[in-house]
Amino acid sequence: MIRVNTETCIGCGMCEKDCLASAIRVEDGKAKVKMKCMECGHCVAVCPVGAVTMDGAYDMADVMPYDAETFKVPAENFLNFLKFRRSTRQYQPKAVEQEKLERVVEAGRYTPTASNGQNVHFVVVQEQMERVKDLIWEGLERMLEAGEIPHYRGMLQRFIDRRKADKTQDALFFGAPVLVVLTCEGPWNAPLAARSMELMAEAEGLGSLYSGFIQRGIFYSPEVQELLGITGEQVAVCMLMGYPAVKYRRTVPRKKANVTWK
């Protein structure tokens, strides 16, 4: 997957120094690919003359040169951005633009993955949201019938009863127009991607909410798994998304951090 343009390469050795697998080395004044690597792309990013490229599944049109003006976020602003972020449980009945959702997915795509696995499956539901919601509610009813999660059984039963009486009483989806489902083998990659997506959504003026209830409902609904194209896959994260119908005016307090300085 890694290619070196020997006419452009200046033999500086930066790629060799930054290669964890020692897959690329400088010999006779030129970088050479010596073995298959984990395709992390560090050699592409570090080369001062752009002599290294990746082919196959990778599009070099994705690669952007560093620009401090557009790539750097002031640290104080970023910290305030994190502090102000809230879980959203009130949404406007307004669709989210496709281009915004694509940028949210892009944020997930560029999140680091263990061993550079890049193995997260992103499912974004908007057009079929109503059908998916019905199936997930049915899945939660099956979960209760199976005797699962007794510690919040009563609360979930109340949610189900209210929705059956009045479909607008939805204490699970809160009127959100979008559901994002991430599947992945292993415990880390999808949650890391979801965090990046959540922050990108916030930057786009959207709100989001992680939902364990929805994740459990999908587990108990083979029908929704089939509809989403995730049958047999491990659902790692479920997240609602949309334009908030609530305006927060300040940050909230937090407990002191449990930090050990050595």
Side-chain angles (χ1 to χ4, degrees), residues 112 114 184-193:
C184 183
E185 293 183 9
W188 301 114
N189 293 345
L192 288 171

Side-chain angles (χ1 to χ4, degrees), residues 22-51:
S22 299
I24 189 167
R25 300 175 189 170
V26 175
E27 296 179 353
D28 301 322
K30 299 291 182 180
K32 296 180 181 179
V33 180
K34 306 299 292 184
M35 65 182 75
K36 181 174 175 57
C37 66
M38 63 189 293
E39 301 170 10
C40 68
H42 278 219
C43 53
V44 174
V46 80
C47 180
V49 293

Side-chain angles (χ1 to χ4, degrees), residues 85 87-89 91 136-137 139-141 143-144 148-149 151-152 155-156 159 171-174 179-182 194 208-221 224 235-240:
R85 171 256 163 221
S87 295
T88 302
R89 294 181 178 84
Y91 292 92
I136 290 173
W137 275 109
L140 288 173
E141 290 191 60
M143 180 176 66
L144 290 184
E148 289 283 339
I149 53 171
H151 60 288
Y152 56 84
M155 178 176 65
L156 183 55
F159 289 167
L172 186 62
F173 291 91
F174 304 101
L179 171 63
V180 177
V181 177
L182 305 185
S208 60
L209 175 69
Y210 294 106
S211 177
F213 275 134
I214 291 175
Q215 185 173 355
R216 297 293 289 172
I218 291 175
F219 180 81
Y220 277 87
S221 175
V224 79
V235 177
V237 178
C238 294
M239 183 165 48
L240 297 171

Side-chain angles (χ1 to χ4, degrees), residues 47-66:
C47 180
V49 293
V52 187
T53 58
M54 298 173 66
D55 58 15
Y58 300 97
D59 183 2
M60 287 301 295
D62 279 347
V63 177
M64 302 170 63
Y66 177 75

Side-chain angles (χ1 to χ4, degrees), residues 5 8-10 12 15-16 20 22 33 42 102 130 133-134 142 159 173 216 230 245:
N5 184 333
T8 306
C9 176
I10 59 175
C12 66
C15 55
E16 180 178 348
L20 176 65
S22 299
V33 180
H42 278 219
E102 289 175 358
E130 292 305 314
K133 286 166 63 174
D134 289 341
R142 291 174 189 164
F159 289 167
F173 291 91
R216 297 293 289 172
I230 59 172

Side-chain angles (χ1 to χ4, degrees), residues 124-135:
V124 183
V125 181
Q126 181 160 232
E127 291 186 5
Q128 301 188 61
M129 187 65 159
E130 292 305 314
R131 177 57 178 157
V132 168
K133 286 166 63 174
D134 289 341
L135 291 174

